[in-house]
Amino acid sequence: MADFEPRIVAFLCHWCTYTGADLAGTTRQQYPPNIRIIHLMCSGAVDSIYVLKALIDGADGVLIGGCHPGDCHYQTGNYKARRRVAILKGILNQMGFTEDRIWLRWISASEGKLFADTVTKMVEELKKMGPNPMKQLWDA
Amino acid sequence: MQNGKVKGDRGSVLVIGAGIAGMQSALLLAETGRKVFLLEQGPAIGGYFPLLDKTFPTNSCGVCFMSPTPPAFCPIYECHLHEHIELLPYSEVLKIEGEGGDFRVSVLRKPRFVDPGRCTLCEACIKVCPVEVEREFGGGLEKRKAIYLPFPQAIPHSLVIDPKTCVRCQECVKVCAPGAIDLNMKEEQETINVGAMILGFGFEPFWAQRKGEYGFGRYANVLTSIQFERMLSTSSPTQGVPKRLSDGKRIERIAFIQCVGSRDPSCGQDHCSTICCMYATKQAMIAKERSPDLEVTFFYMDVRPMGKDYERYYERAKGEYGIEYRRCAISTIKELPGSRDLRITYVKEDGTFEEKDFDAVVLSVGFTPPQTIKDLAERMGLLLNPQGFCQTGEFNPAETSVKGIFVGGAFRGPKDIPETVVEGASAAAGAASFLSMYRPPDQKKEYPAEGAISEEVPKIGVFVCHCGEELKKYLSISNLMDEAKGMREVAHVEEVGLACLPEGLDLIKRRIGEHGLNRVVVAGCSHREIRKAMEEMAKAMGFNPYLIEYANIREQCAFVHRNDQELATEKAEVLIRMAVERARKAQPIRKGRAMVVKKGLVVGGGLSGMTVSLRLAEQGYEVHLVEKERELGGNLKEAFYTLKGSDPQALLQNLVREVEKNGMIRIYTGAEVLGFEKRNGHYRTKIRFQGVGGSTLREEKDLDHGVLILATGGKEISPKGYLYGEDSRVITQRQLEKMIHLNDENLKDFRSVVMIQCVGSRDEEHPYCSRICCGHAVKNALKLKERDPGMDVYVLYRDVRTYGFYESYYHEARGKGVIFIRYDLENRPEVTLRNGNLEVSVFDPAMGRPVTLSPDRIVLSTGIEPNDQQELAKIFGVELNSDGFFAEANPKSAPLDSVDRGKFFCGLCHSPNFIEDSISQGNAAAIRAATILSKEAVEEKAYLAYVIKRLCCGCGLCVTVCPYGARVLNEEEGKAEVIGALCQGCGSCVVACRNAASQQRNFEKDLNMAVLDAAIE
Ligand code: FES
């Protein structure tokens, strides 16, 4: 288990969090390379299907990053994301996943450091949680 | 010095100072098609705003909304990208010749010693630079090298060398792979020809050392608010946690001292800096969020949150955050030996002394005019006001004393971001009107036609950029190349040195031709860095730019995983695979255009409504001006003099005359709005109005227009209590103003007058500050004293909110013997009748006991409330805030815009305002509207939503979720449709749709799924 390297899929909104992730690079913040970033226009455009599919296909965690409340470039996309994730977590619990595999975080374009810290933390937590149970199912 | 280029023409505008106001002016003028030069003396544009992580009253960032074309990115970046804006960073104005309409400006371009076109920010030079100095940004809490990036988001996005500290050791030159550094760069001189100029010099923070008694610079744990602001940023050395500078311990008890360098004639700063109460409150709130146990105490004279929604913010700070506000005067601050804690001794309102210890003290420094400005002002012939800020007329707030030179923002006086944005826009409107004879030429670039690509089988070219060898340190580029070759439908893979430079772009261009590529993936830096260059290259060769995908293997891979080449390379491979998948599915996008109806509809013919109409007409647009009363004028009819001494009635007559004689403005009086309809690219409004010649016949008419401006005004709150309406000697400030103006008989007998502030403001029913009442009271009090210096005038107040330069009138009033007595909400003054005489009793905190006054008149300072506009808001589909004022898209940086593009607000229907503010808002709304009207057509967004009709069941969910009203249900077909001109491409409707009928161009569900597949493998 010591070698377990979680795989994280991240859906980041174009305006804030994706830019924040860029800023982490510009300012050379280091974080573990376990994350694959998918760029969407808004956190409100993250369909539950994407999250479910990611988990079913074996991702160990899903990070959704959007603008802080009040800062969504499409007014309310992040609030929609927040509601959606709350519902999703309920469904996931029923499916036997721990809801902590989905993280929804508000990270602004100036918070490169916060982005790096978030990923670092998420990797740590997922390591504690162990691999996505779905993966073992597939393997079996 | 090298003598160089001559640029510009009489139609263009030079904006000096690229802070918030300057950027706003530049963006708006550029959006209306004008050529703008944006000059900044520092190496990067942005002013103070990169320092601000969070802004009040939302505690969010929000500055992105400033750009006139939402959804937009940070204004710094928008200015950088705008095709009509030419940035002149690191420049100074040497000389101005000519006059309004035809200026010739000599500009000195200081050498950066680093070529922004070649610097890739690899920072190899920073590592070898031996010089370390304090970083100016954020008050010197951090260090930087002699070669540095001013701040992370700096534009130009390039390093710069500070010649004062550089030791010319040449180390940086040796390690710079792209060869961007040249220590022999010389300064250059350019001549800029423009018709108008806008000054956005901004402000400087008060130099805290000047108030030596507060110990800044002597005591380690006394900070300025500028430093504290920086400390609270998550990117600061303390990562946003408030810590002591002396020992790095977490701060547990912090004091804010207000008005440092404000309201203080002893240091030549007699004005109120307007926003310190708010920014300090914001800092306190953020600090408490970071350190929940933090104890915060404010030491203040008056709290002045007088902007829209500020009062609530202040209440929240006290209630929810438990921040303590102590009204007192500071006596001394001492550093305690050993602990280096600070002991503050202060005098309370009742004159007693108290002391309290703190871990750190923040000095809320005020604003001064930029110190370097005096010289330049003199050379320009620019008048400054007594405080050293730019002098403007009260009714011409955007005009300086020099014809053709306009001003906005903090250089006119300290102000918050929304007002700065409004004034930046107002200055732009001034310039646009002034230059209306020089219409901006249509600068549309012609591009070759594109081939029909969508049907072709993808043939993808992958270009792996190693950023001038830099990425090779962290990634195995050869592995990436090998891997990419095996990806589906990839026809060509090649390594490039620097894809962003002309030679790199050229190579890609050639390969597209040679190999017949119809999709391109660039693996290298973030698309933000390279997109502009790539798209230009593509368009110029007839290649649809939306067929280029970007794999971000630099910012989001190489730079952040520097310690593990193997894993980083593995990740980069996946990132390339994802981009290739995206490219495979991507379709060319050709943006649709909806024709603009170049007319404006202005609802409301008061001050701001008439102002906005005139500005639009001056710029050449037809205006329908709709007023519900029989005549124009609105509330302005009730104003007779201002605090600053101008004549509102003259203004009114002038405006009405101008509006009536302007051939571009069609006035409809006695009008009501019956209906409103949205078309693609324009609106249609149905009105009923009084026919010509005062006929009683009411006509109906449909008006087509491209923009809508609501200027429906507000009204005086009708006071409750204090015997108002029961005793005719209890009147309002407005009534008093009229009496004074008409020289009313009764005035002669007044021996004593009591004014009561905050009547119908800052209470449960109206939980906001009406902003203007303190000024009104001071104005009328001064008038009374002028008539009869012996008259007793009392002002019973809660906080005196004479912000900005109004402070000096407050000062004057006190000097002339007007007596100010403070009261609390719990101890409101009581008005009674005794033997037929008025009597007011109030608890005087200075004396510590109640006092009783027997005035001849009681004057109530009543607040402002909006007209009942519920119905109107419904018709036009705009939102109201909880106080009934129109709600803006973003309270910080789009203060006059509705969420739907093309609808704007100004004047009292937006928030309580002084006359000059309403004028600024009218001007500003006009130029914001002109950004739409100036175009032939509104260009649709690229990533538009669309409907697959076959799958649509007409449930209407997408219509409900769309924040822009861009979705409609076609009743006949029972299918949803998208109004292209309104859709912003957020993707909400795509998620809402249960049948996958709603899709978004190049973000289709199956495309996203394919990318996801590639991400997980
Ligand atoms: S745009 Fe960032 S969350 Fe909506």
Side-chain angles (χ1 to χ4, degrees), chain A residues 7 14-15 19 22 25 28-31 35 37 47 49-50 53 71-74 80 84 110 113, chain B residues 60-62 64-65 72 121-122 526 528 552 559-562 571 961 964 986 1005 1008-1009 1013 1016:
Chain A
R7 283 194 298 172
H14 174 84
W15 303 99
T19 315
D22 274 354
R28 312 299 199 271
Q29 309 286 343
Q30 300 300 300
Y31 57 83
I35 184 166
I37 293 173
D47 200 311
I49 306 258
Y50 305 156
K53 180 175 159 66
D71 273 349
C72 170
H73 285 59
Y74 305 102
K80 290 172 184 145
R84 198 165 292 134
S110 61
K113 170 87 177 125
Chain B
S60 60
C61 165
C64 301
F65 292 81
L121 285 176
C122 68
S526 170
R528 252 182 239 296
N552 188 339
F559 282 177
V560 286
H561 315 307
R562 291 205 279 194
K571 171 172 170 183
V961 299
Y964 302 101
C986 65
K1005 274 191 182 160
N1008 286 337
M1009 290 289 211
D1013 268 333
I1016 313 178

Side-chain angles (χ1 to χ4, degrees), chain B residues 123-154:
Chain B
E123 300 192 350
C125 50
I126 293 189
K127 277 177 227 133
V128 299
C129 178
V131 184
E132 206 175 53
V133 290
E134 253 177 30
R135 187 184 281 281
E136 300 82 349
F137 178 70
L141 291 182
E142 298 136 86
K143 297 264 183 276
R144 66 162 170 82
K145 295 290 188 72
I147 183 165
Y148 67 108
L149 188 63
F151 47 88
Q153 304 88 341

Side-chain angles (χ1 to χ4, degrees), chain A residues 5 7-62 67-78 80 83-84 106-117 119 132 135, chain B residues 52-54 58 60-65 71-74 78 120-124 149 152-153 157 233-235 239 290 470 474 526-529 531 550 552 554-564 567-568 570-571 574-575 578 582 888-890 899 943 961-964 984-988 990-993 1000 1003-1005 1008-1009 1011-1013 1015-1017:
Chain A
E5 284 297 339
R7 283 194 298 172
I8 303 172
V9 176
F11 297 97
L12 306 186
C13 90
H14 174 84
W15 303 99
C16 277
T17 316
Y18 190 89
T19 315
D22 274 354
L23 188 67
T26 315
T27 53
R28 312 299 199 271
Q29 309 286 343
Q30 300 300 300
Y31 57 83
N34 306 45
I35 184 166
R36 313 284 180 256
I37 293 173
I38 296 179
H39 162 248
L40 293 176
M41 292 313 282
C42 175
S43 65
V46 181
D47 200 311
S48 313
I49 306 258
Y50 305 156
V51 181
L52 289 173
K53 180 175 159 66
L55 290 174
I56 289 170
D57 285 356
D60 299 292
V62 175
C67 313
H68 284 266
D71 273 349
C72 170
H73 285 59
Y74 305 102
Q75 303 296 325
T76 51
N78 47 4
K80 290 172 184 145
R83 281 200 297 264
R84 198 165 292 134
W106 312 134
I107 298 171
S108 82
S110 61
E111 293 176 324
K113 170 87 177 125
L114 181 63
F115 179 80
D117 290 349
V119 177
N132 175 347
K135 217 169 351 190
Chain B
L52 311 170
D53 255 21
K54 303 261 189 291
T58 49
S60 60
C61 165
V63 237
C64 301
F65 292 81
F73 196 50
C74 154
E78 294 279 326
T120 62
L121 285 176
C122 68
E123 300 192 350
L149 188 63
Q153 304 88 341
H157 207 29
S233 162
T234 44
S235 58
Q239 290 161 30
R290 301 277 158 73
E470 179 65 14
Y474 317 111
S526 170
H527 65 83
R528 252 182 239 296
E529 301 285 335
R531 175 166 243 144
Y550 305 88
N552 188 339
R554 193 173 85 137
E555 278 82 355
Q556 295 185 1
C557 190
F559 282 177
V560 286
H561 315 307
R562 291 205 279 194
N563 308 326
D564 194 330
L567 283 179
E570 201 181 298
K571 171 172 170 183
V574 179
L575 293 179
M578 288 160 66
R582 226 174 178 280
E888 56 275 60
N890 185 281
V899 175
Y943 303 119
V961 299
C962 178
Y964 302 101
Q984 308 287 339
C986 65
S988 287
V990 182
V991 185
C993 181
Q1000 187 181 5
F1003 284 97
E1004 281 88 355
K1005 274 191 182 160
N1008 286 337
M1009 290 289 211
V1011 177
L1012 179 55
D1013 268 333
I1016 313 178
E1017 285 152 282

